[in-house]
Amino acid sequence: MSKGGGLLVAGTTSDAGKSVVTAGICRWLVRQGVRVAPFKGQNMSLNSFVTREGAEIGRAQAMQAQAARVEPTALMNPVLLKPGSDRSSQVVLMGRPVGELSARGYHGGRQQALFGTVVECLEELRSTYDAVICEGAGSPAEINLRRNDIVNMGIARAARFPVVVVGDIDRGGVFAQFFGTTALLAPEDQELIAGYLVNKFRGDVTLLEPGLDMLLGLTGRRTFGVLPYAHGLGIDEEDGLRVSLRGAVRESVVAPPVGEDVLRVAVCAVPLMSNFTDVDALAAEPGVVVRFVDRPEELADADLVVVPGTRGTVRALAWLRERGLADAIVRRAAEGRPVLGVCGGFQALGEHIEDEVESRAGEVPGLGLLPVRVRFAPEKTLARPVGEALGERVEGYEIHHGVADVRGGEPFLDGCRVGAVWGTHWHGSLESDGFRRAFLAEVARAAGRRFVPAPDTSFGALREEQLDTLGDLIEEHADTDALWKLIEQGPPTGLPFIAPGAPS
């Protein structure tokens, strides 16, 4: 294969499956001996990751890099937007925050100014790898945003990459979505739309084939595969803002608990929740049931309550108090029942917060469960720490503006522990298998549960299995020969224009 080939995976909607399809193509390619890298020019997500060089990127791109068996870098996600409200986001450029912008300010000019950086990053990846698989954002047919687009057709046109559009058939209306997406693009953009990929199909695929034939007749574009609905993938969510958290349960492995009891984990669904993927490692344990909650009565039967990370610690504190969750957590602590705070959740469990950076609320009292005072600094801490806790080696990553002054308690990673209340800034610590087992054993003892952690659960191995499953879906249900040809040779020639095209 010649160097610099590539493909853009677009979607008819947000959450159509672009991230997992991109990861699946990366895993399929690397199993064929192809050196491949993922790329997303601009990502909006509260789930982020810290690379080894200390750059912050979208967690989905880190997952895709793992699928490609390469080390994630800032080149793979040069622009990351981290929402702080419905109207503004922190802009992270090449892994470092460069300021807060309103949606109007970003789309009004700043976005286009970043286009050169995005193209340079893509070209650098193309010069290093045999293939680059790009992921789009939202839909390429968002005609109100097309002029300044740097992640969908803008990047496809700059690189002359073919585009495969993914549609989620489980939601219904996929044929209209495919046709409408194509028909709302300018002729120059339509030239790059090579065809479609159906995602999350249930049932007999022969029943779908007449519709695919009609779609080909209407658009002149083929469908490159029909991917079946796959349960229990557990792959990192991209954006907590779009997840319906009320009563949602993280999928756990089917294996029965080792001990006599299950362990129930309640995760407080705080506003602007970030890196809620921390609890995926808990859900991977046999006998651990993880759910997201937003009412105090839902904490009653929980053996462990997790207050997760958030992009708005002060706002999360107010939300916990308004809903009565704060009082319920304080009562739990007084009763010696386990509570874990991670990053923003750790800050909320402390005595006092001084914030002139994130919320600009000044001095705000915390829940007072840990002897910690937090001051928000303008500079963001981005790190990949390694340490020890509960006699086990722990790896994690840090993404926070808050600086914690720990004034007591037992040391716990970079935070502390008082009784059955733990707090740390470290994301990802529960992915360390030995530490996770030791922590769950402590929680079970404090909760009075006859729960025994499984002795052989490997979160890393489970993640590899999930990525292999994605690769299998592409290899078994997509026309890989045709995808390979697109990556090598670019968009097909002679694709017809579908009226009306983009509005003038």
Side-chain angles (χ1 to χ4, degrees), residues 18 22-23 26 93 95 141 200 220 295 326 330 377 413 426 440 456 471 500:
K18 298 182 294 290
T22 300
C26 285
L93 177 63
K200 295 186 181 178
R295 298 189 305 199
V330 170
L413 302 176
W426 290 23
L440 289 175
D456 55 357

Side-chain angles (χ1 to χ4, degrees), residues 178-207:
F178 284 146
F179 183 88
T181 296
T182 308
L184 278 177
L185 299 178
E188 296 83 358
D189 289 342
Q190 287 195 26
E191 290 175 2
L192 304 177
I193 302 294
Y196 314 108
L197 192 67
V198 176
N199 191 30
K200 295 186 181 178
F201 180 72
R202 306 171 192 251
D204 185 350
V205 73
T206 61
L207 298 176

Side-chain angles (χ1 to χ4, degrees), residues 237-489:
E237 302 280 3
E238 184 169 270
D239 191 348
L241 294 181
R242 288 198 298 268
V243 177
S244 177
L245 293 169
R246 183 70 188 87
V249 179
R250 304 295 286 179
E251 288 194 55
S252 300
V253 291
V254 180
V258 175
E260 297 179 46
D261 287 344
V262 298
L263 208 63
R264 295 172 176 84
V265 179
V267 184
C268 297
V270 296
L272 299 174
M273 185 165 51
S274 60
N275 287 63
F276 60 85
T277 48
D278 282 336
V279 301
D280 285 350
L282 295 179
E285 284 286 347
V288 176
V289 179
V290 180
R291 67 183 187 272
F292 292 93
V293 303
D294 60 5
R295 298 189 305 199
E297 55 267 29
E298 293 176 301
L299 305 187
D301 68 342
D303 303 305
L304 170 67
V305 169
V306 178
V307 187
T310 171
R311 226 331 237 132
T313 300
V314 170
R315 179 175 168 184
L317 261 171
W319 182 87
L320 290 169
R321 288 182 166 121
E322 289 165 3
R323 290 180 171 260
L325 284 161
D327 289 341
I329 291 170
V330 170
R331 286 195 300 271
R332 284 184 65 90
E335 296 165 0
R337 302 176 67 196
V339 177
L340 171 66
V342 179
C343 200
F346 165 43
Q347 298 164 5
L349 297 181
E351 300 171 347
H352 175 86
I353 293 171
E354 183 182 337
D355 181 11
E356 300 293 348
V357 176
E358 194 174 74
S359 68
R360 297 181 175 85
E363 297 186 4
V364 177
L367 298 187
L369 301 181
L370 293 174
V372 176
R373 297 189 176 184
V374 175
R375 176 185 58 81
F376 275 70
E379 302 79 22
K380 181 183 284 191
T381 297
L382 297 169
R384 289 277 292 269
V386 177
E388 185 177 301
L390 304 180
E392 299 287 345
R393 186 176 188 274
V394 187
E395 295 183 28
Y397 57 99
E398 295 183 66
I399 306 170
H400 54 91
H401 283 279
V403 178
D405 177 13
V406 179
R407 301 187 171 197
E410 300 176 44
F412 177 69
L413 302 176
D414 71 327
C416 63
R417 170 187 181 179
V418 174
V421 180
W422 293 266
T424 176
H425 274 130
W426 290 23
H427 293 290
S429 62
L430 293 167
E431 295 180 18
S432 297
D433 297 325
F435 167 70
R436 182 179 65 255
R437 285 192 277 270
F439 177 73
L440 289 175
E442 287 266 332
V443 168
R445 279 194 291 272
R449 292 286 185 188
R450 290 170 296 181
F451 168 85
V452 178
D456 55 357
T457 302
S458 168
F459 184 75
L462 288 171
R463 176 52 51 88
E464 277 296 305
E465 289 176 14
Q466 293 163 344
L467 294 172
D468 275 333
T469 297
L470 293 180
D472 293 343
L473 287 173
I474 297 298
E475 191 164 344
E476 296 169 10
H477 300 281
D479 186 339
T480 53
D481 288 340
L483 291 177
W484 189 290
K485 184 177 179 180
L486 287 178
I487 292 167
E488 279 194 301
Q489 300 180 13

Side-chain angles (χ1 to χ4, degrees), residues 38-311:
F39 179 79
K40 186 163 186 174
Q42 171 199 295
N43 196 351
M44 177 175 279
S45 179
L46 287 170
N47 283 336
S48 58
F49 182 77
V50 180
T51 67
R52 294 210 179 274
E53 71 267 29
E56 185 179 9
I57 66 172
R59 191 165 173 96
Q61 279 61 67
M63 176 268 292
Q64 290 160 358
Q66 186 179 348
R69 297 181 180 143
V70 296
E71 190 66 36
T73 73
L75 292 172
M76 298 171 184
N77 180 208
V79 181
L80 174 64
L81 306 179
K82 302 193 71 175
S85 70
D86 291 340
R87 292 175 176 247
S88 67
S89 294
Q90 181 181 67
V91 181
V92 179
L93 177 63
M94 295 304 294
R96 297 287 174 181
V98 294
E100 296 271 342
L101 274 179
S102 68
R104 179 175 292 276
Y106 182 71
H107 291 289
R110 177 63 168 162
Q111 182 182 32
Q112 188 61 32
L114 298 174
F115 187 54
T117 299
V118 170
V119 172
E120 288 171 8
C121 290
L122 176 56
E123 290 306 309
E124 187 168 343
L125 290 174
R126 292 181 72 182
S127 70
T128 306
Y129 292 91
D130 299 330
V132 180
I133 307 302
C134 304
E135 179 191 344
S139 163
E142 291 168 349
I143 53 181
N144 56 316
L145 304 177
R146 175 62 186 93
R147 189 172 74 170
N148 294 322
D149 169 43
I150 66 173
V151 65
N152 288 307
M153 300 314 298
I155 199 69
R157 201 189 290 191
R160 294 301 300 172
F161 274 2
V163 179
V164 173
V165 182
V166 178
D168 180 354
I169 197 169
D170 197 51
R171 298 182 176 189
V174 76
F175 293 116
Q177 292 169 19
F178 284 146
F179 183 88
T181 296
T182 308
L184 278 177
L185 299 178
E188 296 83 358
D189 289 342
Q190 287 195 26
E191 290 175 2
L192 304 177
I193 302 294
Y196 314 108
L197 192 67
V198 176
N199 191 30
K200 295 186 181 178
F201 180 72
R202 306 171 192 251
D204 185 350
V205 73
T206 61
L207 298 176
L208 188 65
E209 288 170 352
L212 301 179
D213 292 339
M214 285 185 270
L215 184 66
L216 173 62
L218 287 166
T219 67
R221 290 160 175 86
R222 56 166 300 182
T223 299
F224 290 95
V226 178
L227 307 184
Y229 195 104
H231 294 275
L233 285 175
I235 295 295
D236 296 337
E237 302 280 3
E238 184 169 270
D239 191 348
L241 294 181
R242 288 198 298 268
V243 177
S244 177
L245 293 169
R246 183 70 188 87
V249 179
R250 304 295 286 179
E251 288 194 55
S252 300
V253 291
V254 180
V258 175
E260 297 179 46
D261 287 344
V262 298
L263 208 63
R264 295 172 176 84
V265 179
V267 184
C268 297
V270 296
L272 299 174
M273 185 165 51
S274 60
N275 287 63
F276 60 85
T277 48
D278 282 336
V279 301
D280 285 350
L282 295 179
E285 284 286 347
V288 176
V289 179
V290 180
R291 67 183 187 272
F292 292 93
V293 303
D294 60 5
R295 298 189 305 199
E297 55 267 29
E298 293 176 301
L299 305 187
D301 68 342
D303 303 305
L304 170 67
V305 169
V306 178
V307 187
T310 171
R311 226 331 237 132

